[in-house]
Amino acid sequence: MTIRVLLADDHRMLREGLRRSLEERGFEIAAEAADGDEAVTLAAQHTPDVVLMDVSMPVLDGVEATRRVREATPEVRVVMLTMHVDPDVVARAIRAGASGYLVKDCSIDEVAEALTLACDGQTVISPHLAASMLDEVRRLDGDPHEEVITKREEEVLQLIADGHSTPEVAEKLYISQKTVKNHLASIYHKLDARDRTQAVVRAVRLGIIHLD
Amino acid sequence: MTIRVLLADDHRMLREGLRRSLEERGFEIAAEAADGDEAVTLAAQHTPDVVLMDVSMPVLDGVEATRRVREATPEVRVVMLTMHVDPDVVARAIRAGASGYLVKDCSIDEVAEALTLACDGQTVISPHLAASMLDEVRRLDGDPHEEVITKREEEVLQLIADGHSTPEVAEKLYISQKTVKNHLASIYHKLDARDRTQAVVRAVRLGIIHLD
DNA sequence: TGTGACATGGGGCGATCGGCTCATTTCTGA
DNA sequence: TCAGAAATGAGCCGATCGCCCCATGTCACA
């Protein structure tokens, strides 16, 4: 039976390349989404067998989109694609319900195999990531404490990444500078960062915030 | 006659997709490069008609690679690919000798057309970029001052992006903190940034430095 | 009915940062 | 050969930052 795939990536070029290559290998492309929100909507409409989802997308990032797809339509599997090899992002993706996690630096054949295995109920992870995943699992075992950035913290973080200073963030959010500093302190702790620059870099890699 | 293309992109997935799609349209893929340095070497070896070069690549970024390709083999045209729509990057790319500039959010047909036109000696720019390019030209007319980040400044910037403080950067580069601060001041001016966080974000978007 | 997480604040302190002016040396390109 | 850019460095100062201490109110969940 033919596997029906929903492609979700903000770069049309990559989507077209994937569509052609996957169709050649006998997959059927049910639809294409250019952002996370569209991916969620189209997944519900077309109920494909699997969604091939980019991590970094506008409007709604891939991890959050995966969470919503899995909530709305649990029978639809999600395989994630990423540029960044970060164990934390992998962990976030897996927790969000992804059945697979691929680095963009892999071949189309590997993608095809991952999609097939995902539909078969298996979880696939790029070999490059296997080692770092083990570390992550150990970390989670030893420390069940989930370092989840709250919504407010995320707002602060995004404004910081947009180039705003503490006083400016305070003004924009209608809170005191002290509160902003408190949020930042919490963010530093959760992201294991020492200052705002480290925090922004780390958050971007984790897919929590975006630069564009 | 067949147009011979060198693909330079660090994501194998995208390369494979492009190879397939372009070969289908009658192009010949002379070789594939996974980083800027490889692109320069392979361009000299294979002298393709045109190099399709990603802006952000490891080892050597696309803009610098373009500069070297054009220096070593002026008959080889370069068409750049980018994720970010930033007029400054476009300006840097054109100054580096690129014959074309495409956003990754365009179709394979557009890529094919751009490659053909580039070989014909024409310069192609994604329509999305046309407007911002006009602004850039105006800016360059009014202010012929070239804001080019120097090698030393780039080193400082990269270390800052890696999460190092001023004292740490000074230690790593065997220079005084004062000199680091001087470089940073220069960087802020050139990137129109106010602090290190803004500078890092802007540099990443310009493709000057990388987070990975 | 607590208990804990979240969001909101205050004060203080030392370190760091960014702006300012200035000087020296080296090297390259016109 | 000479101007200018690049890289190095100094001192000063005010602003900001990051890290401590702490308190309050809300709200959810057990």
Side-chain angles (χ1 to χ4, degrees):
Chain A
M1 108 285 190
T2 315
I3 294 180
R4 295 174 60 249
V5 183
L6 168 62
L7 295 180
D9 194 300
D10 50 331
H11 303 298
R12 206 203 311 182
M13 194 176 295
L14 190 64
R15 284 204 311 273
E16 289 192 25
L18 283 172
R19 168 185 279 270
R20 204 161 296 271
S21 305
L22 290 176
E23 281 177 342
E24 230 169 53
R25 285 168 176 75
F27 291 84
E28 180 192 332
I29 308 301
E32 294 184 19
D35 63 66
D37 199 48
E38 207 180 330
V40 176
T41 308
L42 292 176
Q45 273 177 21
H46 298 271
T47 56
D49 296 302
V50 60
V51 182
L52 187 57
M53 176 114 60
D54 188 19
V55 168
S56 55
M57 282 191 294
V59 188
L60 195 66
D61 74 283
V63 173
E64 188 52 34
T66 299
R67 196 185 316 278
R68 300 199 189 171
V69 167
R70 296 292 297 167
E71 264 177 29
T73 48
E75 73 275 19
V76 177
R77 316 273 182 176
V78 177
V79 170
M80 305 216 64
L81 266 181
T82 189
M83 312 245 276
H84 309 297
V85 187
D86 194 307
D88 290 349
V89 194
V90 185
R92 272 165 48 89
I94 300 298
R95 275 201 291 271
S99 301
Y101 202 99
L102 299 173
V103 182
K104 277 193 179 169
D105 182 30
C106 69
S107 70
I108 301 287
D109 285 321
E110 290 176 282
V111 178
E113 197 190 341
L115 291 177
T116 309
L117 289 174
C119 290
D120 198 38
Q122 291 187 255
T123 300
V124 197
I125 289 176
S126 278
H128 321 72
L129 290 173
S132 43
M133 263 310 289
L134 286 177
D135 295 341
E136 180 66 11
V137 169
R138 281 196 208 95
R139 195 189 68 81
L140 290 176
D141 280 348
D143 177 21
H145 181 50
E146 281 217 18
E147 307 288 28
V148 181
I149 264 65
T150 68
K151 284 183 183 175
R152 200 55 163 171
E153 285 163 0
E154 191 181 316
E155 286 178 47
V156 172
L157 206 42
Q158 186 62 60
L159 287 171
I160 294 292
D162 289 343
H164 298 291
S165 64
T166 298
E168 286 169 354
V169 173
E171 197 182 349
K172 281 188 176 288
L173 296 181
Y174 305 107
I175 56 181
S176 78
Q177 294 188 25
K178 186 59 196 125
T179 302
V180 175
K181 290 172 80 174
N182 284 340
H183 286 310
L184 279 172
S186 173
I187 289 166
Y188 297 153
H189 177 246
K190 290 179 181 177
L191 296 184
D192 193 29
R194 186 177 43 185
D195 53 50
R196 55 192 62 217
T197 307
Q198 277 190 8
V200 167
V201 169
R202 190 143 186 78
V204 168
R205 290 207 278 201
L206 289 172
I208 298 170
I209 56 170
H210 305 279
L211 297 186
D212 279 334
Chain B
M1 107 285 191
T2 314
I3 293 179
R4 295 174 60 249
V5 182
L6 168 61
L7 295 180
D9 195 299
D10 52 329
H11 301 298
R12 206 198 317 175
M13 194 176 296
L14 190 64
R15 284 205 310 273
E16 289 192 25
L18 283 172
R19 169 185 279 271
R20 203 161 296 272
S21 305
L22 290 177
E23 281 176 344
E24 229 169 55
R25 285 167 176 75
F27 291 84
E28 180 192 333
I29 308 302
E32 293 185 18
D35 62 66
D37 198 48
E38 207 180 331
V40 176
T41 309
L42 292 177
Q45 274 176 22
H46 298 271
T47 56
D49 295 303
V50 60
V51 182
L52 188 57
M53 177 114 59
D54 189 18
V55 169
S56 55
M57 281 190 294
V59 189
L60 194 67
D61 74 281
V63 173
E64 188 52 35
T66 299
R67 197 185 314 280
R68 299 198 191 173
V69 167
R70 296 292 296 167
E71 265 177 30
T73 47
E75 73 275 19
V76 177
R77 317 273 180 176
V78 178
V79 169
M80 306 216 63
L81 267 181
T82 189
M83 312 245 276
H84 307 296
V85 187
D86 194 308
D88 290 349
V89 195
V90 185
R92 272 165 45 91
I94 299 298
R95 277 200 290 271
S99 301
Y101 202 99
L102 299 173
V103 182
K104 277 192 180 169
D105 181 29
C106 68
S107 70
I108 301 287
D109 286 321
E110 290 176 284
V111 178
E113 195 190 343
L115 291 177
T116 309
L117 290 174
C119 290
D120 198 39
Q122 290 187 257
T123 300
V124 196
I125 289 176
S126 278
H128 320 72
L129 291 172
S132 44
M133 264 308 290
L134 285 178
D135 295 342
E136 181 66 12
V137 170
R138 282 196 207 96
R139 195 190 69 82
L140 290 175
D141 280 348
D143 176 22
H145 182 50
E146 282 214 21
E147 307 287 31
V148 181
I149 263 67
T150 69
K151 285 182 182 174
R152 200 55 163 171
E153 285 163 1
E154 192 182 316
E155 285 178 47
V156 172
L157 206 41
Q158 186 62 60
L159 287 171
I160 293 293
D162 290 342
H164 298 291
S165 65
T166 299
E168 286 169 354
V169 173
E171 197 183 349
K172 280 187 176 289
L173 296 181
Y174 305 107
I175 56 180
S176 77
Q177 294 188 25
K178 188 57 200 133
T179 303
V180 175
K181 291 173 77 173
N182 284 339
H183 286 311
L184 280 172
S186 173
I187 289 165
Y188 297 153
H189 177 246
K190 291 179 180 175
L191 296 184
D192 194 27
R194 186 177 44 185
D195 52 50
R196 55 193 61 217
T197 307
Q198 278 191 6
V200 167
V201 168
R202 190 143 186 78
V204 168
R205 291 206 278 200
L206 289 172
I208 298 170
I209 56 170
H210 306 278
L211 296 185
D212 280 332

